[in-house]
Amino acid sequence: MEVRDALGEDLLPLARLWHHGWTDAHADILPVALARLRTAESFVERLRPAMESVRTVGEPGAPLGFHWIKGDELYQIYVAAEARGQGVAQALMADAEARFLARGIARPWLACAIGNERAARFYRKAGWTMTGVECVPADTAEGPFPLDVWRFERALGVDTASGGACGMSPA
């Protein structure tokens, strides 16, 4: 499965994919005030200047999933409902982890909405560890919205099951 750089023609489809996924996963567990601010249009405005940090799976203009890296954070990772169970999430996660290692980031982190058990299960299965609850500023068009989340981290380059290297050279 090929993970590629996002293109300009992916912007609006990515925003729709994100909004459907965000609403599906968070509508019942996050504050209503935040949901009102998290629109597909607001995501376009946040995503547009960051497209060089976004990778996707799927044909140009028809993404099936994406990840967005900000510094040492896996800021967003979403898969379209119709593409779940097809290896898209695993391909995106492997690509994100390889990008972190290429940048010398051996311990990336991500925020998971408290109560999003489906995502938390996927992160654990992918080797990420929940390290606690943290308040993060959720980006909105009206400014940061303080939100408590589960923080997950991943030690890259080490196979914790066998205690040895994963075949990756140290950064």
Side-chain angles (χ1 to χ4, degrees):
M1 182 166 305
E2 182 185 347
V3 181
R4 62 174 176 79
D5 293 334
L7 306 170
E9 63 202 89
D10 294 317
L11 181 63
L12 294 178
L14 285 171
R16 285 190 296 272
L17 187 156
W18 170 85
H19 190 255
H20 289 295
W22 192 88
T23 302
D24 177 46
H26 302 102
D28 296 332
I29 60 174
L30 291 181
V32 174
L34 179 58
R36 280 195 299 269
L37 298 170
R38 286 282 173 117
T39 64
E41 296 78 19
S42 74
F43 190 70
V44 168
E45 295 311 310
R46 289 187 303 143
L47 184 60
R48 187 183 317 275
M51 286 292 282
E52 71 278 354
S53 301
V54 177
R55 303 266 293 162
T56 188
V57 170
E59 294 298 317
L64 299 174
F66 73 96
H67 73 68
W68 175 0
I69 292 174
K70 274 188 173 182
D72 64 347
E73 179 186 8
L74 180 51
Y75 178 64
Q76 304 282 330
I77 184 167
Y78 280 90
V79 174
E82 64 273 13
R84 291 180 190 150
Q86 298 177 27
V88 173
Q90 292 84 352
L92 289 166
M93 185 63 80
D95 184 77
E97 290 175 357
R99 293 197 167 271
F100 283 124
L101 279 172
R103 296 174 185 172
I105 299 167
R107 192 164 199 76
W109 71 281
L110 62 84
C112 179
I114 294 173
N116 188 347
E117 296 294 341
R118 181 177 64 211
R121 275 191 307 276
F122 170 73
Y123 300 142
R124 285 185 189 104
K125 187 176 178 181
W128 292 68
T129 302
M130 187 188 314
T131 61
V133 174
E134 181 175 320
C135 184
V136 298
D139 295 326
T140 75
E142 294 182 9
F145 186 103
L147 184 66
D148 285 339
V149 298
W150 290 325
R151 181 183 173 109
F152 280 80
E153 296 180 0
R154 172 94 157 101
L156 300 176
V158 176
D159 178 355
T160 56
S162 67
C166 293
M168 298 178 198
S169 58

